[in-house]
């Protein structure tokens, strides 16, 4: 969550909650690309698979996938990597919880963005594709600066699915929050 006085804060970003993630997890350095998705799933559902009629660019992030498509991708990736001996049988690919995603996005910072508060959005263009600089389309992954932990596109380019259902933050202190058990849509 974020402080109530943060610039452009959304109502659903609170109350602030002190979260402890008690176990380690890995997160991909880049968003899943259209090429990654196509190679594993055999299709590319993305709307932005071409650049204004030019050649297909499979280094763009896959988009236009449902939460079920995203979790199925994780299941298929786990099966492939286990079969190849690259992932232990007690490990699996999955979507992050919203708490894990925010922790990874912030990269151990407590500012509005992982690179600072930036109330006037003067540095956002260095870190994110968004409405004013994207041409209303996605862009190949990893073109903007990474967050402090070397993760790219954590701000902008596409909205990302999380494992949790959308709901309010608990407030106070939480250990490994999993979000609500049901709801009308997933956190994106």
């Amino acid at each position: 969550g974020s402080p109530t006085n943060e610039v452009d804060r959304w109502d659903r970003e609170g109350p602030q909650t002190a979260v402890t993630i008690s176990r380690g997890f890995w997160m991909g350095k880049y968003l899943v690309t259209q090429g990654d998705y196509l190679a594993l799933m055999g299709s590319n559902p993305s709307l932005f698979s071409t650049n204004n009629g030019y050649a297909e660019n499979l280094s763009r992030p896959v988009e236009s996938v449902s939460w079920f498509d995203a979790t199925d991708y994780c299941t298929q990736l786990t099966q492939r990597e286990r079969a190849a001996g690259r992932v232990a049988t007690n490990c699996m690919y999955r979507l992050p919880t919203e708490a894990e995603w925010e922790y990874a996005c912030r990269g151990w910072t407590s500012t509005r963005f992982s690179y600072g508060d930036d109330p006037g959005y003067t540095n956002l263009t260095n870190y994110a594709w968004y409405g004013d600089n994207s041409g209303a389309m996605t862009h190949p992954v990893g073109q903007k600066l990474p967050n402090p932990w070397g993760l790219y596109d954590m701000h902008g380019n596409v909205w990302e699915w999380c494992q949790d259902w959308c709901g309010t933050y608990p407030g106070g202190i939480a250990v490994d929050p999993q979000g609500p058990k049901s709801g009308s849509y997933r956190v994106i």
Side-chain angles (χ1 to χ4, degrees):
S2 58
T4 57
N5 63 347
E6 185 177 86
V7 174
D8 294 333
R9 179 185 186 270
W10 294 356
D11 289 341
R12 71 175 190 214
E13 294 181 19
Q16 273 194 288
T17 305
V19 172
T20 298
I21 307 291
S22 69
R23 57 193 178 280
F25 65 96
W26 295 90
M27 183 168 287
K29 181 177 181 175
Y30 301 106
L31 301 169
V32 174
T33 67
Q34 294 176 28
D36 296 332
Y37 194 88
L38 177 63
L40 185 64
M41 305 303 285
S43 66
N44 181 4
S46 299
L47 294 175
F48 298 109
S49 60
T50 61
N51 185 6
N52 293 331
Y54 295 100
E56 183 174 50
N57 188 338
L58 296 177
S59 63
R60 292 173 186 256
V62 68
E63 35 75 23
S64 300
V65 293
S66 70
W67 181 88
F68 296 102
D69 293 335
T71 56
D72 190 38
Y73 177 85
C74 293
T75 299
Q76 297 296 322
L77 184 60
T78 298
Q79 290 173 356
R80 184 187 77 187
E81 297 300 290
R82 282 182 182 163
R86 292 186 287 256
V87 174
T89 56
N90 64 337
C91 294
M92 62 182 254
Y93 288 89
R94 62 171 175 81
L95 297 176
T97 66
E98 189 278 334
E100 290 168 338
W101 186 89
E102 185 170 346
Y103 176 72
C105 179
R106 289 182 182 276
W108 205 255
T109 67
S110 60
T111 52
R112 182 173 176 222
F113 297 103
S114 64
Y115 62 88
D117 284 321
D118 197 11
Y121 300 98
T122 55
N123 292 311
L124 185 59
T125 193
N126 297 319
Y127 293 87
W129 292 108
Y130 59 99
D132 290 346
N133 74 349
S134 68
M137 67 179 69
T138 62
H139 291 268
V141 303
Q143 291 188 335
K144 297 294 184 174
L145 294 172
N147 76 1
W149 288 351
L151 303 176
Y152 290 83
D153 297 306
M154 296 302 287
H155 305 296
N157 213 353
V158 293
W159 287 46
E160 300 173 31
W161 288 115
C162 290
Q163 190 67 40
D164 315 46
W165 286 98
C166 188
T168 58
Y169 291 87
I173 298 171
V175 177
D176 298 324
Q178 299 296 304
K181 295 192 184 302
S182 64
S184 58
Y185 60 95
R186 299 276 178 175
V187 173
I188 51 176

